[in-house]
Amino acid sequence: MPHKKRVILFKKKDLNDKYYQQLIKNNFDTEFIPVLDHKLVNIDAIKTIIQNGPIKEQLCAMVLTSQRSVEAINEAYNELISLDQHVRDEWNSIPIYIVGPQTADALGHLPLFQNYRKDHRWIIAPRASELIKSFSNTHDFKSTVLFLAGDKRREIIPEALNAAHISFREIKSYVTCAHPDLAHRIKKDDDNTLLQAADWTVYFSPSGLKFLLNHLDENTHFLAKSKIASIGPTTSDYIINELGLNVHVEAEKPDAEHLVDAMINFSKKKIN
């Protein structure tokens, strides 16, 4: 039986985790170390916006870049006693600009947007750099765009909206912090077997790497001892340019299937 490659993924293992499923199916031994945690904020403000509706709030569209913002919408919606049908219809008629298919999928499961998919008014891109192209090509921004963002958000979307002369209202919907189990999970034993024994380490965001390195006193030696896989170009750029390390594979698309395919293809090339 071939040796199982050991993979450490620096993320929380989700219920029915697709990364776990893909890796196990391809004979990888997997371990998850959660790095980031998130706290939803400004729920009362978001609740008021939902209850008033886009017309009263003078909103013509919404921008979402993270599943955490979707969670904030859901929590705010669940706190409402009721919502008028005409307001619900308004939310199901405005364009929504979304970064990531997983964010779109999460939004599609919310009760507030259960009828939205019929309208085909979602604009979905795998990355913010691709989503912003839609701003300059759209001419129906007659009022303000609602931008629900996290505390670690980059400037790319605000700068693109400003460049396109589109008014926007930004609300911080979540803040990022270290996962409460992180320090315990990466606590080094005498020979540091947990981290050094990995064939692959997989990284999902620059912010996750920053929190991880803070708990390691910015000691990056264990990263260099494994092959490095990145979920996308933003994370790869940080690893290469800020940490000075090599990224062995980068997922062509930010999902489990493309990530694992890249790792398998890399191993095949090495064998050949």
Side-chain angles (χ1 to χ4, degrees):
M1 181 179 292
H3 166 69
K4 280 190 174 183
K5 298 292 186 180
R6 186 162 181 267
V7 182
I8 296 178
L9 299 95
F10 286 96
K11 70 179 286 293
K12 176 184 176 182
K13 183 181 179 183
D14 298 323
L15 185 67
N16 299 318
D17 195 286
K18 294 180 180 178
Y19 293 93
Y20 176 79
Q21 294 170 357
Q22 286 288 327
L23 287 164
I24 291 296
K25 185 172 72 174
N26 288 282
N27 202 41
F28 286 95
D29 182 18
T30 65
E31 181 164 358
F32 291 78
I33 297 181
V35 178
L36 299 178
D37 203 3
H38 302 91
K39 179 182 178 182
L40 303 181
V41 295
N42 294 320
I43 298 302
D44 285 344
I46 297 170
K47 182 169 65 175
T48 299
I49 292 171
I50 292 174
Q51 191 161 38
N52 287 339
I55 293 177
K56 187 174 181 180
E57 291 284 338
Q58 297 184 331
L59 302 173
C60 63
M62 180 162 59
V63 176
L64 300 171
T65 62
S66 168
Q67 294 180 64
R68 306 290 85 78
S69 291
V70 174
E71 292 171 10
I73 292 172
N74 194 43
E75 180 163 320
Y77 175 82
N78 288 336
E79 290 185 7
L80 293 172
I81 297 174
S82 63
L83 187 66
D84 292 341
Q85 185 59 47
H86 74 89
V87 173
R88 189 183 303 273
D89 292 341
E90 289 174 16
W91 284 113
N92 280 272
S93 64
I94 66 169
I96 302 182
Y97 294 77
I98 305 169
V99 174
Q102 293 178 329
T103 304
D105 185 60
L107 191 69
H109 285 87
L110 298 195
L112 178 59
F113 295 100
Q114 59 186 356
N115 297 322
Y116 200 103
R117 288 187 180 277
K118 299 176 183 177
D119 296 331
H120 302 290
R121 303 195 71 190
W122 286 355
I123 299 88
I124 306 168
R127 302 177 181 91
S129 58
E130 296 177 34
L131 184 71
I132 62 173
K133 299 172 186 175
S134 305
F135 298 157
S136 59
N137 296 332
T138 307
H139 303 287
D140 58 354
F141 293 104
K142 297 177 181 178
S143 52
T144 300
V145 172
L146 176 63
F147 177 29
L148 298 184
D151 61 320
K152 304 297 183 184
R153 69 120 174 98
R154 300 164 67 200
E155 292 294 332
I156 185 168
I157 285 180
E159 288 177 352
L161 290 169
N162 284 326
H165 305 290
I166 298 169
S167 173
F168 68 96
R169 177 181 176 188
E170 180 177 350
I171 294 182
K172 186 185 297 181
S173 57
Y174 66 94
V175 294
T176 305
C177 54
H179 194 280
D181 292 338
L182 177 59
H184 170 71
R185 293 295 304 277
I186 63 173
K187 185 178 181 180
K188 291 184 288 187
D189 54 29
D190 291 339
D191 58 358
N192 200 21
T193 55
L194 173 65
L195 299 176
Q196 289 192 10
D199 296 288
W200 286 91
T201 50
V202 185
Y203 305 96
F204 293 84
S205 70
S207 57
L209 271 159
K210 290 174 185 177
F211 278 109
L212 175 62
L213 294 175
N214 284 340
H215 281 74
L216 292 170
D217 299 322
E218 298 193 3
N219 190 341
T220 64
H221 70 280
F222 85 86
L223 281 80
K225 292 190 176 184
S226 67
K227 291 183 285 292
I228 293 176
S230 161
I231 196 60
T234 303
T235 304
S236 296
D237 288 347
Y238 182 81
I239 293 171
I240 295 168
N241 298 325
E242 299 298 324
L243 304 183
L245 297 173
N246 181 43
V247 174
H248 297 84
V249 301
E250 175 185 301
E252 186 177 345
K253 293 183 180 179
D255 58 38
E257 183 176 357
H258 286 87
L259 178 73
V260 177
D261 282 349
M263 293 166 64
I264 292 171
N265 290 334
F266 179 89
S267 297
K268 286 179 178 177
K269 290 177 183 178
K270 282 294 183 181
I271 293 173
N272 296 331

